[in-house]
Amino acid sequence: MRTLIRGGTVLSSTGAVTADVLVDGETIAAVTAPGMLAGQNVEVDTEFDATGKYVMPGGIDAHTHMEMPFGGTFSADTFETGTRAAAWGGTTTIIDFAVQPKGSSLLSTLDNWHEKADGDCAVDYGFHMIVSDVNDATLKEMESCVAAGVSSFKMFMAYPGVFYSTDGEILRAMNKAADIGGTIAMHAENGIAIDELVARALAEGRSEPYQHGVTRPPELEGEATSRAITLAKVTGSPLYIVHLSAAQALSAVAEARDEGQNVFAETCPQYLYLSIEDLGKPDFEGAKYVASPPLREKHHQPDLWRGLRTNDLSVVSTDHCPFCFKDQKELGRGDFTKIPNGIPGVEHRIDLLHQGVVAGEISLARWVEACSTTPALMFGLYPRKGVIAPGADADIVVYDPAAEQTISAETHHMNVDYSAYEGMTVTGRCETVLSRGSVVVDRGTYHGRAGHGRFLERDLCQYLN
Ligand SMILES: [Zn+2]
């Protein structure tokens, strides 16, 4: 089965060229000058005319939470619905977080996540491991995780009593990661201090969603980020700060990077476009925007865009963690601490970042790099993913940069009853999406199937200094 994508502007992390892309089976066979294959008797089964369109490597969303347990409920997208929505938006790989409950083993957790995802995914997927219980046995199991293709381990400086790890536990896990080549991903917020602010707010009767933002100030993200960076420096472990939202945290990352430390960070579209004002929407609507770290004051946004330009923010992921407004977010009426944390987003990351290109905030090359190439390198998937080149998996998006669309829960494909970007009109849209050579989406029609997506055994980080 051969597919030819003709005459498009082929994008990479270094720029753009007009070229034809030949797909043979599941991989890219050739990238040639336009028309070069025409006289060469190459038989092609399907052709797409990509004139005037971008041809880019499929997106990699390195931060999703499908079917994630939280406060007695589960995030609303299954691996089936969540990867279908991802495909609609041009994301052909997700890396989801397997969540170790305290007292269980990492390998049984991994089995559990395989069971959830196996046979259900429309696009390829990998896992990170959330380590919430650091002890001799789980430290040893980190080696088996790496051998099983799970080379990154997330820890929490937030959520005392649930996922929280002490500095000592973090140090032990980082030492192990440094020994075995793993990467530590960190949720960097000072949860101990936050819990005090939360207790005071509730005692004073401040219980509405806006208080979620007030009780998690950006200084406590900055402080935790600095502390994580220091612990990583002492141990020699690579560090990847997840969902960076605040200028204070960005400064800490930039300083460490200037010193040559292997410290990296991602941000998410919600921190680039939404703000704490959304948390203040009336009639409990603010609950739709409750996630941690919280949405910040708007003045953080230009700093985050600058961080994307300078590569102090290397990756854009979504932290996709959808909870329906009805019955799920509503669990927190009268007590903001009971609102399930998370914002849906897996479907619109590529489009929202393309808006950054349209607005002149980032270049085309940075768009592709932050959404696809760098996550592939960061998480050991390159050059199988993250690039349009011979031999790479044929995960390809034909993107129409001129199309207009209005984001809405009425038309999105995520299994959630609201959109955080309801009514926002964006320029650009995925026209055709291929996952390993199979057409998954084409001009508004879905052709994918559950079970097409395969588990990706990832190598170690390929992005180290
Ligand atoms: Zn997350």
Side-chain angles (χ1 to χ4, degrees), residues 63 65 97 154 243 319:
H63 191 151
H65 299 283
F97 287 87
K154 184 181 178 189
H243 49 46
D319 196 10

Side-chain angles (χ1 to χ4, degrees), residues 71-127:
T73 187
F74 285 85
S75 60
D77 265 316
T78 61
F79 278 90
E80 182 172 352
T81 64
T83 56
R84 190 194 306 149
W88 273 102
T91 288
T92 51
T93 299
I94 64 162
I95 310 178
D96 201 83
F97 287 87
V99 186
Q100 181 207 15
K102 276 212 196 295
S104 73
S105 78
L106 298 185
L107 292 178
S108 66
T109 300
L110 190 55
D111 286 347
N112 191 0
W113 248 256
H114 274 300
E115 210 168 289
K116 282 178 194 249
D118 189 27
D120 282 351
C121 292
V123 297
D124 290 350
Y125 60 98
F127 297 132

Side-chain angles (χ1 to χ4, degrees), residues 63-65 68 97 130 154 156 159 187 242-243 266 268 292 318-321 341:
H63 191 151
T64 70
H65 299 283
M68 192 196 76
F97 287 87
I130 288 178
K154 184 181 178 189
F156 288 80
Y159 304 122
H187 181 130
V242 294
H243 49 46
E266 68 177 17
C268 311
S292 296
T318 60
D319 196 10
H320 175 74
C321 194
N341 279 214

Side-chain angles (χ1 to χ4, degrees), residues 293-376:
L295 301 179
R296 302 299 187 188
E297 303 276 348
K298 279 191 177 142
H299 69 79
H300 292 269
Q301 292 172 359
D303 290 317
L304 298 181
W305 283 113
R306 189 196 64 231
L308 278 174
R309 287 191 292 275
T310 59
N311 203 34
D312 289 319
L313 295 171
S314 304
V315 170
V316 177
S317 306
T318 60
D319 196 10
H320 175 74
C321 194
F323 293 99
C324 288
F325 184 67
K326 193 170 163 28
D327 295 339
Q328 291 194 300
K329 290 287 188 180
E330 284 181 334
L331 293 169
R333 272 196 198 271
D335 180 351
F336 70 89
T337 65
K338 300 212 162 52
I339 301 169
N341 279 214
I343 295 177
V346 75
E347 188 168 346
H348 297 115
R349 180 181 62 122
I350 305 278
D351 293 327
L352 289 166
L353 265 291
H354 183 251
Q355 285 313 106
V357 178
V358 172
E361 294 283 3
I362 54 172
S363 66
L364 276 176
R366 278 300 288 159
W367 176 47
V368 170
E369 195 169 32
C371 290
S372 179
T373 310
T374 302

